[in-house]
Amino acid sequence: MNKKTFLLLIAAVSALGGLLFGYDTGVINGAQFYLSKYFDLSDAMKGWVVGSALLGCFVGAIIAGPLSIKIGRKYSLIISAVLFTLSAWGSGLPSFLPESVTLLVVFRIIGGLGIGIASMNAPMYIAEIAPSDIRGRMVTYYQLAIVIGFFVVFLATYFIGNNLTEAENIQLGWRKMFWSELIPSGLFLILLFFVPKSPRWLALKGRNDDALIVLKKIHDDEQANKEIFQIQQSLKADDTGLKVNYFSKAILTIIIIGTVFSMLQQFTGINAVLYYGADIFEKALGFGKADVLKQQILLAFVNLVFTFVAMFTVDKFGRKPLIYIGAFGMLAGFLLLGITLQQQSVGFLSLLGVLIFIASFALSMGPVVWVLLSEMFPNKIRSVAMSVAVAAQWAANYMVSQSFPIVMGSEVNHSDTWNGSLPYFIFIVFIVVIVFVTYKFIPETKGKTLEEIEGFWKK
């Protein structure tokens, strides 16, 4: 096997963590439409069932940092795969288990732990293995895998749901939707045993010879020797013999910037659209029940196509230009949706607004946030700093997923002033903040090695 093929296979296997992230996120969208009726859930309880997994994601991301340092990126991903598999099986509540919302939530939280661990380790692992000139595209494979997961699960839930009556879906369909995740989670678990350990993690552990062996499987000998030298120099420069002070001004500043940027990805409202897409299409946009899952497939397809656009432009245009382009597109999409809702002229333009928003997110904040988070932190603090940033992202995700159905159902939102448009104008404010933060604080990392990027923070 040649080096390029080997590198792509490594990235593809680790990106399966992203596919399961997308699949698990998407499966609750299709399943909650029926399980909410099965358990007769209120808006608040629906938010809890959907958002409960995000608590697991938050905890998973927090423990992912220490776990990644202790046992490495590879074994952390293996643990996440085990958690995915357990959650997929249990969330369908097999017949010998109690029919309990509480038990369903427990299994959703277990799956969330897997997502939290994978969402921090998978992009970091890819970034630590990839050559600098194609690193952006390779980390984007992670986001591509997420949206493929969305797309595949929407197809799966559509075909599962379409072949059953509404009564059968309420009784059985949502269980099959959860169980369908067993296929990708099992594949992820098996394939992870065949990928190498991260060369930068090996170097952090003082295993430079092992790190060089991995690098030589990916690069030619000259580039591998150059890279191991840069890694050693970076670690040596940071090695003062003292423990890292994460509360020092320099390190804390880097972590805060990454954390705020990570949270802003969620405050765009992306997961409100993805988690509650079925409700939005049925209630806000007036589509019939028969059309809901078809609209979800369209949404997932647009998400997939424009992630490919990002994948092939992130190393050419750079990270920041894609964010600017995407931010203005997201603004246009939500303005179109918000104004048509406010003016009570819901129809094709409303759907177009949703699709413009999804397309713009998919070519910008979707993949670029993961690229930048995997690149921007110095070697010595990468695991902990990324753990904090990703945990904060999941906390933001939880806040949005919990509050969105409540705001949607509020009297204020249904007043003559807003007519159901309030949540989208709130998201618009945060998208404006993204443009400011990107301009003021985010470095352009295109084409630089991870060690060169460290130099940006030392200026």
Side-chain angles (χ1 to χ4, degrees), residues 37-38 51 128 197 289 417 434 437:
K37 295 182 179 181
Y38 181 81
E128 291 186 340
K197 295 175 181 176
K289 288 182 174 65
T417 303
I434 287 170
V437 170

Side-chain angles (χ1 to χ4, degrees), residues 26-52:
V27 76
I28 192 62
N29 192 324
Q32 66 88 17
F33 190 70
Y34 298 111
L35 70 85
S36 294
K37 295 182 179 181
Y38 181 81
F39 289 108
D40 193 23
L41 301 179
S42 65
D43 283 344
M45 280 302 294
K46 186 189 297 184
W48 170 233
V49 170
V50 172
S52 59

Side-chain angles (χ1 to χ4, degrees), residues 70 87 89 107-108 131 155-156 167 217 246 249 286 295 326 370:
K70 182 74 175 176
S87 173
W89 170 78
F107 281 112
R108 296 294 300 150
L155 288 175
K217 290 180 179 179
Y246 291 99
K249 184 178 179 181
Q295 304 297 340
W370 293 114

Side-chain angles (χ1 to χ4, degrees), residues 433-450:
V433 173
I434 287 170
V435 176
F436 171 76
V437 170
T438 301
Y439 174 76
K440 189 76 175 175
F441 301 107
I442 302 299
E444 179 55 69
T445 57
K446 180 184 76 169
K448 295 181 173 62
T449 67
L450 297 179

Side-chain angles (χ1 to χ4, degrees), residues 240-405:
T240 60
L242 301 172
K243 291 183 71 173
V244 176
N245 180 9
Y246 291 99
F247 294 98
S248 68
K249 184 178 179 181
I251 291 177
L252 192 59
T253 299
I254 302 170
I255 294 175
I256 289 173
I257 290 170
T259 299
V260 169
F261 189 64
S262 183
M263 293 178 74
L264 284 170
Q265 185 199 60
Q266 296 305 309
F267 290 143
T268 60
I270 181 61
N271 282 320
V273 175
L274 295 176
Y275 292 155
Y276 297 103
D279 284 349
I280 292 170
F281 286 129
E282 183 188 7
K283 296 177 182 176
L285 301 184
F287 292 108
K289 288 182 174 65
D291 295 323
V292 164
L293 291 177
K294 292 180 183 177
Q295 304 297 340
Q296 289 292 84
I297 291 173
L298 176 61
L299 181 152
F301 179 72
V302 170
N303 199 2
L304 178 62
V305 169
F306 281 86
T307 301
F308 273 108
V309 174
M311 189 171 74
F312 291 107
T313 56
V314 67
D315 285 317
K316 183 177 181 181
F317 294 169
R319 286 53 162 157
K320 294 177 74 168
L322 283 186
I323 295 173
Y324 295 140
I325 293 167
F328 287 112
M330 287 187 285
L331 284 172
F334 269 164
L335 280 171
L336 193 57
L337 174 61
I339 291 169
T340 54
L341 285 168
Q342 196 175 40
Q343 299 300 313
Q344 294 184 298
S345 56
V346 174
F348 172 75
L349 288 179
S350 310
L351 176 60
L352 183 62
V354 173
L355 296 179
I356 289 172
F357 168 78
I358 290 292
S360 301
F361 179 88
L363 66 81
S364 60
M365 288 296 286
V368 175
V369 166
W370 293 114
V371 172
L372 281 166
L373 289 180
S374 67
E375 296 175 323
M376 65 185 290
F377 300 120
N379 284 321
K380 197 79 171 178
I381 67 166
R382 184 172 297 120
S383 291
V384 171
M386 194 165 176
S387 178
V388 171
V390 173
Q393 183 183 125
W394 286 115
N397 193 333
Y398 178 74
M399 285 187 278
V400 172
S401 70
Q402 280 288 90
S403 61
F404 182 76

Side-chain angles (χ1 to χ4, degrees), residues 114 191 231 379:
L191 292 177
I231 294 169
N379 284 321

